C-alpha cells in the first residue's frame, strides 16, 4: 500500500479516537486534534490516496488557479468545470451569503463580485510570490529565506476566507527541492487529500523548471479536524484501509518539454500532467462545509 494511505488513515483514526468535539463558526461541530505533522518523500512515491478516489484534474486546476493564473476569480475555475470555491463566491452586490439561509456573512465592494476577495491567488500575484521563489531557486539555491506566505495581514479583512494552507518554505539540499507546508486549519476528510496532492504536483513542477530533483514534503497542521457529518464516511475509509488489499502508488508524469512554470497547460484537460498506474477503491462522497 502507498505510504500516503497509511499516514493519512492513521491520522484519521487518531482524530476519531483521540480527538475532542468542538463547535466552530460553520455551525457544524468537528472532532479535532490541536496539532499534527507528517513527512512524505515525494521523490520516491507520489502521494495520492488509493483508499478513495481523488480527482487529479480538479486538484491540479485549483493549484494552478492560485499559483499560475494567480487569480481570485471563481469563474476561472467554473469555466474549467471545477466548483470547489462556488460556496465562497461573492455575488454581484458584493455579498457573501450563507448558502442555506441566505444571510449575508460578509460584505465587500461590488467590484469584487465573482471572486473570493483578496485571498490566495490575489496575494500570490500582488506580492510576486512565485516569481520571487523561482528566481531564488535558480539563482541563489542556498537561500534560507524562501517563505511563500499567503497570510498577509493587510489583505485579511477583504478576504472571504483567510488561507487555510497559508505558508510554505522551500529548501534545496543536494540538488533536491524540499518543501515545508503549514496549514492553520485542516478539513481532514475533504481538504487534506486534495492539498497534499496539489503541493506534491506544485513542487514537482517547480523542481522541473528549476533543474532540481524532487525531495521531501513536510506538512504541519494546526487544528486537524473531521466534521461530524463526515464521520461515517471516514469509518468506511478506515474499513477499506484495514480490510482490503493494498494498492501501489502511481507515478506522476509531467511534460518533460516544459521549462517555464507558466507554460504548463491550465486548460480543462491539464494536458501536461497525468497519473500513470493510478488504482483506487472508488469514490467516497462527503458534504463540504461552507
Amino acid at each position: 500500500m502507498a505510504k500516503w494511505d497509511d499516514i493519512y488513515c492513521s491520522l484519521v483514526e487518531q482524530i476519531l479516537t483521540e480527538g475532542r468535539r468542538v463547535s466552530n463558526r460553520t455551525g457544524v461541530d468537528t472532532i479535532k486534534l490541536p496539532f499534527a505533522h507528517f513527512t512524505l518523500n515525494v521523490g520516491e512515491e507520489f502521494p495520492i490516496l488509493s483508499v478513495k478516489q481523488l480527482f487529479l484534474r480538479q486538484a491540479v486546476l485549483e493549484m494552478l488557479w492560485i499559483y499560475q493564473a494567480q487569480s481570485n476569480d471563481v469563474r476561472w475555475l467554473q469555466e474549467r468545470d471545477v466548483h470547489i470555491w462556488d460556496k465562497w463566491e461573492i455575488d454581484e452586490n458584493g455579498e457573501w451569503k450563507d448558502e442555506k439561509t441566505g444571510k449575508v456573512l460578509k460584505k465587500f465592494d461590488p467590484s469584487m463580485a465573482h471572486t473570493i476577495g483578496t485571498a490566495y491567488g490575489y496575494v500570490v500575484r500582488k506580492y510576486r510570490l512565485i516569481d520571487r521563489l523561482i528566481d531564488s531557486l535558480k539563482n541563489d539555491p542556498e537561500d534560507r529565506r524562501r517563505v511563500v506566505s499567503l497570510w498577509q495581514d493587510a489583505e485579511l479583512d477583504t478576504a472571504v476566507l483567510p488561507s487555510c494552507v497559508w505558508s510554505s518554505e522551500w529548501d534545496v539540499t543536494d540538488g533536491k527541492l524540499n518543501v515545508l507546508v503549514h496549514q492553520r486549519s485542516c478539513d481532514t476528510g475533504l481538504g487534506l487529500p486534495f492539498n497534499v496532492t496539489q503541493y506534491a504536483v506544485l513542487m514537482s513542477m517547480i523542481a522541473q523548471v528549476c533543474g532540481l530533483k524532487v525531495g521531501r514534503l513536510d506538512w504541519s497542521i494546526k487544528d486537524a479536524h473531521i466534521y461530524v457529518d463526515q464521520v461515517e464516511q471516514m469509518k468506511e475509509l478506515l474499513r477499506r484501509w484495514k480490510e482490503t488489499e493494498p494498492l501501489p502508488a502511481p507515478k506522476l508524469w509531467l511534460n518533460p518539454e516544459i521549462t517555464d512554470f507558466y507554460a504548463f497547460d491550465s486548460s480543462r484537460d491539464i494536458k501536461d500532467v497525468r497519473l500513470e498506474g493510478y488504482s483506487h477503491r472508488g469514490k467516497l462522497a462527503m458534504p463540504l462545509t461552507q
Side-chain angles (χ1 to χ4, degrees):
M1 179 177 286
K3 294 177 183 177
W4 173 223
D5 282 275
D6 284 339
I7 292 170
Y8 176 75
C9 291
S10 295
L11 175 59
V12 168
E13 188 169 50
Q14 184 183 7
I15 293 171
L16 292 180
T17 57
E18 301 176 17
R20 179 179 177 183
R21 181 163 177 161
V22 296
S23 59
N24 60 83
R25 64 164 184 85
T26 69
V28 181
D29 285 0
T30 63
I31 303 168
K32 64 168 277 189
L33 292 177
F35 178 76
H37 171 266
F38 53 82
T39 299
L40 298 163
N41 191 328
V42 180
E44 292 183 356
E45 183 180 283
F46 182 74
I48 186 168
L49 289 181
S50 69
V51 288
K52 72 168 184 173
Q53 183 179 12
L54 188 138
F55 296 94
L56 184 75
R57 188 185 71 84
Q58 289 91 328
V60 171
L61 281 171
E62 185 194 20
M63 181 273 290
L64 291 175
W65 175 59
I66 295 169
Y67 286 109
Q68 187 198 69
Q70 300 173 12
S71 173
N72 60 348
D73 195 323
V74 180
R75 293 171 297 185
W76 189 98
L77 291 170
Q78 294 168 346
E79 289 165 2
R80 291 158 176 80
D81 195 24
V82 178
H83 298 280
I84 298 167
W85 282 94
D86 288 4
K87 294 175 182 286
W88 291 271
E89 180 180 356
I90 299 168
D91 69 16
E92 292 84 353
N93 298 316
E95 296 175 341
W96 175 49
K97 296 179 179 178
D98 186 299
E99 63 170 343
K100 296 178 181 178
T101 66
K103 177 184 177 181
V104 177
L105 300 173
K106 204 168 184 179
K107 182 77 174 177
F108 298 85
D109 189 287
S111 65
M112 291 188 181
H114 303 297
T115 76
I116 57 171
T118 57
Y120 288 97
Y122 176 95
V123 172
V124 175
R125 180 180 294 272
K126 180 173 180 178
Y127 295 94
R128 299 183 59 251
L129 297 180
I130 286 294
D131 293 340
R132 292 166 56 196
L133 171 64
I134 292 174
D135 178 71
S136 174
L137 289 170
K138 287 183 174 181
N139 299 308
D140 188 9
E142 302 305 319
D143 186 6
R144 296 181 295 188
R145 301 178 180 180
R146 278 188 291 263
V147 178
V148 176
S149 177
L150 303 181
W151 192 276
Q152 302 289 339
D153 287 353
E155 318 301 341
L156 295 182
D157 289 343
T158 46
V160 172
L161 181 68
S163 300
C164 296
V165 180
W166 68 272
S167 176
S168 56
E169 298 176 38
W170 300 69
D171 161 79
V172 179
T173 301
D174 296 330
K176 292 183 179 180
L177 181 62
N178 307 296
V179 183
L180 169 61
V181 173
H182 303 277
Q183 187 165 9
R184 66 166 180 85
S185 176
C186 178
D187 176 353
T188 304
L190 278 176
L192 185 59
F194 246 62
N195 298 147
V196 167
T197 295
Q198 287 171 324
Y199 273 82
V201 174
L202 176 62
M203 69 184 292
S204 298
M205 288 179 168
I206 297 295
Q208 176 168 308
V209 302
C210 292
L212 300 166
K213 296 179 180 179
V214 181
R216 58 184 274 174
L217 176 63
D218 281 273
W219 204 278
S220 70
I221 301 171
K222 187 73 179 76
D223 202 311
H225 56 259
I226 293 171
Y227 285 96
V228 293
D229 57 4
Q230 299 172 344
V231 168
E232 291 307 311
Q233 293 92 328
M234 291 291 92
K235 289 180 178 178
E236 166 60 18
L237 181 140
L238 293 179
R239 186 198 65 78
R240 295 179 183 183
W241 176 47
K242 295 177 179 180
E243 299 180 9
T244 60
E245 290 295 317
L247 296 171
K251 301 290 185 182
L252 175 69
W253 178 87
L254 299 179
N255 184 345
E257 297 182 2
I258 304 296
T259 58
D260 178 356
F261 176 67
Y262 295 103
F264 281 105
D265 178 41
S266 61
S267 71
R268 185 188 183 281
D269 298 323
I270 53 167
K271 299 174 183 177
D272 296 319
V273 185
R274 67 170 180 259
L275 287 177
E276 297 178 342
Y278 181 38
S279 300
H280 53 79
R281 295 297 177 193
K283 299 178 183 178
L284 193 60
M286 282 179 282
L288 174 63
T289 301
Q290 186 184 38

